[in-house]
Amino acid sequence: MKLSTRSRYGLRFMIVLARSFGTGPRLLKEIADTEGLSEKYLGQLVIPLKSAGYISAVRGSRGGYELSVDPSEITPLDVVLLLEGELISHEKAGQDSPGSLKVTTALWDQLLDAVTGVLASVTLKELAGRSIDEEHQSPMFVI
Amino acid sequence: MKLSTRSRYGLRFMIVLARSFGTGPRLLKEIADTEGLSEKYLGQLVIPLKSAGYISAVRGSRGGYELSVDPSEITPLDVVLLLEGELISHEKAGQDSPGSLKVTTALWDQLLDAVTGVLASVTLKELAGRSIDEEHQSPMFVI
DNA sequence: ATTAAATTTGACAAAAATAATCAGGAAAAG
DNA sequence: CTTTTCCTGATTATTTTTGTCAAATTTAAT
């Protein structure tokens, strides 16, 4: 049960965009560099995020990506579901092989609920806020 | 974030063994057939379960596998951890790439806690009991 | 008793399928 | 004509599946 790189990279990408929401597009290359991952790979992860309408792209010089939805309207669950496809994939009871066990299905469902709960418990805006706070140690208000 | 077949198949295998705990070894082939999966593949999944001491094998005719630990002493978490390696793998904060985000790490940790909680909340014995109950609709006590 | 045969796990390798990563150049925008 | 996203294919790595034969154990036969 591993979280694929798609979700991890994708979510980090989205949080970076959330941090600079409203200040114009950001370069894929720049984000890939500071996050330490391949520009080409990230370029592919980004496609479904665009098709889903979460981000928009501007080509050419001064271009890049930016959120097209307010970060308070997006949760990690949205991002992960989009990039990961199915969370905790398992055969549904009906499709199961003859002798397979309904109990495991029930357990995976519990798991799905737990995971969904955590991922939907916070918004990109909140995560972005935390990241500015905690990572850069820069005070939010200076009087 | 997918649950690999290793965990799913392995757990189902263990529940089958739990159902017939104390009644002698069960054939891998038979279990693979009723569960609808490859005997050879299951044969490989089973190795770590054996090395960890959860099951023991008897070769030759009348042989098979059986639990060597009481099913009330094993949780799905044990099985999944053993077969899956790391649950929800993600870079630790220290190993992270320079610009990567501590917030995502925190989120994955929350996720790990949630998943761990669910998987440790029940034992193989309980799961096996449920499966006899709910799948076969056979009453537990007939008076 | 001894040997032969059948059954079942065990070890190891190969193949197939899927996922992750990288690369080249076309298309759009300034 | 430079920058940057976009499209498409190639490469590599990982996971899943299949195949072959050896080792251990029981059952049957002589």
Side-chain angles (χ1 to χ4, degrees), chain A residues 49-140:
Chain A
L49 293 169
K50 208 186 99 177
S51 329
Y54 290 131
I55 63 178
S56 58
V58 182
R59 294 203 215 188
S61 156
R62 298 263 174 121
Y65 293 92
E66 61 191 332
L67 291 188
S68 43
V69 174
D70 192 284
S72 66
E73 299 295 317
I74 310 174
T75 70
L77 181 64
D78 300 319
V79 177
V80 171
L81 276 182
L82 201 61
L83 295 177
E84 202 78 16
E86 210 177 3
L87 275 182
I88 306 188
S89 71
H90 63 272
E91 319 83 72
K92 296 287 170 299
Q95 312 161 341
D96 255 342
S97 52
S100 86
L101 306 173
K102 222 179 283 176
V103 263
T104 55
T105 307
L107 188 65
W108 305 145
D109 283 344
Q110 259 188 280
L111 221 49
L112 181 59
D113 287 346
V115 168
T116 302
V118 171
L119 290 179
S121 72
V122 70
T123 69
L124 286 194
K125 183 177 182 184
E126 287 162 353
L127 284 177
R130 284 191 211 166
S131 66
I132 288 169
D133 266 19
E134 294 168 15
E135 322 253 333
H136 299 181
Q137 317 307 22
S138 59
M140 258 186 156

Side-chain angles (χ1 to χ4, degrees), chain A residues 1-4 7-9 11-13 15-16 19 33-37 76 80 84-91 96-104 106-108 110-111 114-116 118-119 121-122 126-128 130-131 134-135 137, chain B residues 1-4 7-9 11-13 15-16 19 33-37 76 80 84-91 96-104 106-108 110-111 114-116 118-119 121-122 126-128 130-131 134-135 137:
Chain A
M1 162 157 204
K2 299 206 165 61
L3 204 50
S4 80
S7 302
R8 296 194 274 120
Y9 296 171
L11 183 56
R12 271 156 55 173
F13 177 79
I15 293 176
V16 170
R19 290 209 284 211
D33 283 354
T34 60
E35 293 294 318
L37 38 102
V80 171
E84 202 78 16
E86 210 177 3
L87 275 182
I88 306 188
S89 71
H90 63 272
E91 319 83 72
D96 255 342
S97 52
S100 86
L101 306 173
K102 222 179 283 176
V103 263
T104 55
L107 188 65
W108 305 145
Q110 259 188 280
L111 221 49
V115 168
T116 302
V118 171
L119 290 179
S121 72
V122 70
E126 287 162 353
L127 284 177
R130 284 191 211 166
S131 66
E134 294 168 15
E135 322 253 333
Q137 317 307 22
Chain B
M1 166 157 199
K2 298 207 166 61
L3 205 50
S4 79
S7 302
R8 297 193 274 120
Y9 295 172
L11 183 57
R12 270 154 58 171
F13 176 80
I15 293 176
V16 170
R19 290 210 285 211
D33 283 354
T34 61
E35 293 292 320
L37 38 103
V80 171
E84 203 77 18
E86 209 177 2
L87 275 182
I88 306 186
S89 72
H90 62 273
E91 320 82 72
D96 255 341
S97 50
S100 88
L101 307 173
K102 222 179 280 175
V103 262
T104 56
L107 188 65
W108 305 145
Q110 260 188 280
L111 221 48
V115 168
T116 302
V118 171
L119 290 180
S121 72
V122 71
E126 288 162 353
L127 284 177
R130 284 190 210 166
S131 65
E134 295 169 15
E135 322 253 335
Q137 315 312 21

